């Protein structure tokens, strides 16, 4: 027991290095084909290569008339209209000295080289009212104007989406634009989640004296779903060694990762570490970050087999578990899915706040953009104040001992890039 309670103090970078080394070694081997339609948030296991040019042919970006620029030497030139081309219709080659009526997206006929928007043209019906009439062109066109070129978006043979990319809505659209109806993606990580703590009750239950509502179960499950996981929720596990071991054994059977909150400190009621140690192996770390600090990483054996489920134990304080998930668990989940960009995006922003009492540990301060484009801090940065996590747009990544003065430039991790990204 004494041995378990000696935790190693590490920087977050060192922790990430160790976590990612293990996760990259255990990228989920299974891939599956899914409809592009249903691929949001999945990670591509195979890149998407285009078998066509997009757009497939030159087409008009305006409603108007298409012609040869050389046929309109001066504003006011009148040309007979030789054909009408709605989007989706392939016309005849353009007869020299004529114009074709066409609409946005319509293919530009061979021989034509300029579109004039309809606002700069006047349609002149012919006397009989039967034919297409003619058009007076009131602006001198330059060759190529208002024409979207074949292949200007995607060229035949180009890899439009690379393996390891997480599919955003725009990426799904791009895959569809090159005709890909199915995509090869990595299987979703299967994650079992449980909360420890005899003080916890569920919303809907009455709050007896000494109890608090279990918020981590909601936050962490939401984060896991947003990260593209299949979640098995095992609820609340009592603060007892046998119950914790039993929950771990059950969770290991069908899951790639077991995630818990609470019970990783050094109190007598903290059973996570001895339980994981008994059921597999662990490394208990004190991470030099605030909020956060205790983090348990390890694995739990699956029955008698050689295989094991990874284990990550987060601290119980709601903001600590939220931040530790974003900075340590999310990169592991991305790496398990073969994501090439496991690390969060950071931007440099102006501090519209003073921070004169920095911690010795690297801090992640809940911050939000103001209308002037700077960031402000939530007034209470305590690790129990979940309001700060809802209020924030991001986390100011403040180095150990760093005083911040109004107007300084600070590093901000955007929550939008951390969650689900
Ligand atoms: P622990 O890490 O178990 O020592 O818990 C640290 C603090 O977080 C305590 O104040 C707990 O009551 C609180 N806590 C632990 N688990 C949860 C949870 N699931 N939801 C809300 N608060 C929690
Ligand atoms: Mg506890």
């Amino acid at each position: 027991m004494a041995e378990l309670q000696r935790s190693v103090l590490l920087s977050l970078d060192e922790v990430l290095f160790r976590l990612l080394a293990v996760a990259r070694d255990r990228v989920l081997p299974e891939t599956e084909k899914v409809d592009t339609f249903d691929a949001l948030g999945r990670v591509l296991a195979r890149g998407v290569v285009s078998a066509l040019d997009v757009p497939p042919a030159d087409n008009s970006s305006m409603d108007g008339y298409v012609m040869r620029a050389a046929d309109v030497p001066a504003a006011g030139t009148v040309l007979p209209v030789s054909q009408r081309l709605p989007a989706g219709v392939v016309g005849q080659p353009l007869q020299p000295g004529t114009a074709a009526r066409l609409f946005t997206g319509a293919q530009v006929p061979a021989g034509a080289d300029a579109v004039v928007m309809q606002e700069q043209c006047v349609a002149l019906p012919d006397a009989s009212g039967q034919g297409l009439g003619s058009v007076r062109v009131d602006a001198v066109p330059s060759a190529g104007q208002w024409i979207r070129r074949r292949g200007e978006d995607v060229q035949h043979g180009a890899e439009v989406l690379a393996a390891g990319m997480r599919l955003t809505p725009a990426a799904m659209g791009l895959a569809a634009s090159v005709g890909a109806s199915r995509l090869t993606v990595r299987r979703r990580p299967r994650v079992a989640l449980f909360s420890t703590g005899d003080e916890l009750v569920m919303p809907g239950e009455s709050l007896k004296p000494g109890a608090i509502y279990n918020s981590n179960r909601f936050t962490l499950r939401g984060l896991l779903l947003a990260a593209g996981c299949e979640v098995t929720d095992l609820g609340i596990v009592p603060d007892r060694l046998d119950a914790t071991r039993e929950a771990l054994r059950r969770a290991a059977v069908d899951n790639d990762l077991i995630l818990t909150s609470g019970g990783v400190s050094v109190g007598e009621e903290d059973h996570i570490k001895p339980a994981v140690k008994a059921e597999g192996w662990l490394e208990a770390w004190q991470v030099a970050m605030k909020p956060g600090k205790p983090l348990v990483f390890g694995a739990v054996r699956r029955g008698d087999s050689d295989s094991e489920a990874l284990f990550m134990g987060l601290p119980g304080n709601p903001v600590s578990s939220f931040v530790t998930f974003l900075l340590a668990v999310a990169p592991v989940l991305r790496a398990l899915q073969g994501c090439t960009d496991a690390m969060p995006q950071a931007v440099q922003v102006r501090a519209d706040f003073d921070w004169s009492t920095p911690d010795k540990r690297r801090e992640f301060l809940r911050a939000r953009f103001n209308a002037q484009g700077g960031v402000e801090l939530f007034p209470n940065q305590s690790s129990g104040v979940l309001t700060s996590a809802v209020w924030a747009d991001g986390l100011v990544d403040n180095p150990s001992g760093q005083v911040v003065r109004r107007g300084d430039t600070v590093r901000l991790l955007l929550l939008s890039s951390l969650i689900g990204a």
Side-chain angles (χ1 to χ4, degrees):
M1 191 72 202
E3 172 208 345
L4 285 170
Q5 293 179 0
R6 258 202 320 274
S7 301
V8 188
L9 183 71
L10 293 175
S11 71
L12 178 60
D13 288 341
E14 176 69 9
V15 162
L16 281 169
F17 184 81
R18 295 190 187 196
L19 290 174
L20 291 179
V22 174
R24 287 194 176 121
D25 229 35
R26 298 184 187 208
V27 174
L28 302 174
E30 304 92 335
T31 63
E32 57 198 35
K33 279 196 182 262
V34 295
D35 286 345
T36 303
F37 214 62
D38 300 318
L40 184 63
R42 305 300 297 270
V43 177
L44 279 178
R46 192 171 303 151
V48 178
V49 174
S50 179
L52 61 146
D53 289 322
V54 181
D58 291 359
N59 70 86
S60 176
S61 61
M62 284 288 169
D63 292 329
Y65 293 82
V66 67
M67 60 208 68
R68 294 192 321 180
D71 287 339
V72 185
T77 300
V78 174
L79 297 175
V81 177
S82 52
Q83 53 185 327
R84 188 174 182 279
L85 303 171
V89 167
V90 179
Q92 302 298 318
L94 187 76
Q95 294 158 27
T98 74
R101 175 73 167 127
L102 93 177
F103 300 90
T104 305
Q107 194 167 316
V108 170
D113 65 5
V115 170
V116 178
M117 62 173 88
Q118 62 191 19
E119 292 80 354
Q120 295 178 331
C121 295
V122 175
L124 306 170
D126 68 359
S128 69
Q130 299 295 304
L132 294 169
S134 48
V135 60
R136 194 184 78 217
V137 183
D138 287 341
V140 176
S142 49
Q145 76 175 28
W146 304 123
I147 293 175
R148 300 190 284 224
R149 290 292 171 200
R150 169 181 181 156
E152 78 174 26
D153 186 359
V154 175
Q155 286 180 1
H156 181 274
E159 186 182 61
V160 291
L161 299 169
M165 179 196 189
R166 187 142 195 241
L167 289 158
T168 60
M172 292 164 71
L174 186 58
S177 80
V178 302
S181 62
R182 312 257 292 160
L183 298 171
T184 305
V185 298
R186 199 62 61 185
R187 166 168 79 68
R188 290 181 186 280
R190 292 192 273 262
V191 183
L193 174 67
F194 64 85
S195 326
T196 72
D198 287 347
E199 73 278 31
L200 302 174
V201 297
M202 285 298 287
E205 295 170 7
S206 68
L207 201 61
K208 52 188 192 297
I212 58 166
Y213 284 121
N214 183 350
S215 60
N216 291 347
R217 186 174 180 184
F218 293 78
T219 310
L220 294 175
R221 179 167 173 273
L223 287 166
L224 287 168
L225 293 175
C229 302
E230 274 173 28
V231 184
T232 302
D233 183 328
L234 298 176
I236 301 167
V237 171
D239 283 328
R240 286 196 333 261
L241 183 61
D242 58 345
T244 310
R245 287 186 60 172
E246 163 63 25
L248 289 174
R249 279 199 296 273
R250 204 146 45 92
V253 178
D254 289 323
N255 291 287
D256 305 303
L257 173 71
I258 304 168
L259 185 69
T260 64
S261 82
V264 291
S265 309
V266 290
E268 290 156 28
E269 299 295 340
D270 293 322
H271 299 293
I272 287 288
K273 285 186 272 186
V276 176
K277 171 114 186 177
E279 298 294 335
W281 58 266
L282 86 152
E283 294 191 34
W285 298 322
Q286 297 289 312
V287 189
M289 65 185 276
K290 188 183 176 186
K293 207 162 177 197
L295 178 67
V296 176
F297 178 59
V300 175
R301 281 185 304 275
R302 279 192 194 110
D304 295 329
S305 75
D306 285 346
S307 70
E308 55 189 26
L310 289 179
F311 175 87
M312 294 186 79
L314 306 182
N317 273 313
V319 183
S320 304
S321 59
F322 175 71
V323 169
T324 319
F325 182 98
L326 295 176
L327 298 179
V329 182
V332 167
L333 291 170
R334 286 194 283 265
L336 286 175
Q337 293 177 86
C339 248
T340 39
D341 56 345
M343 299 307 291
Q345 276 178 330
V347 288
Q348 300 294 319
V349 293
R350 186 186 71 238
D352 283 352
F353 62 85
D354 288 306
W355 189 245
S356 27
T357 52
D359 199 86
K360 283 210 301 270
R361 288 177 274 160
R362 179 174 171 187
E363 289 168 301
F364 294 94
L365 307 167
R366 273 72 69 214
R368 172 159 142 173
F369 283 105
N370 59 26
Q372 290 70 45
V375 294
E376 294 175 14
L377 293 186
F378 192 76
N380 187 340
Q381 292 286 330
S382 155
S383 61
V385 177
L386 200 49
T387 314
S388 68
V390 177
W391 179 89
D393 293 323
L395 304 171
V396 168
D397 176 3
N398 198 44
S400 144
Q402 178 72 55
V403 168
V404 179
R405 291 280 166 245
R406 213 166 267 275
D408 287 353
T409 298
V410 292
R411 183 171 193 263
L412 183 78
L413 301 169
L414 291 167
L415 286 187
S416 57
S417 85
L418 291 165
I419 298 172

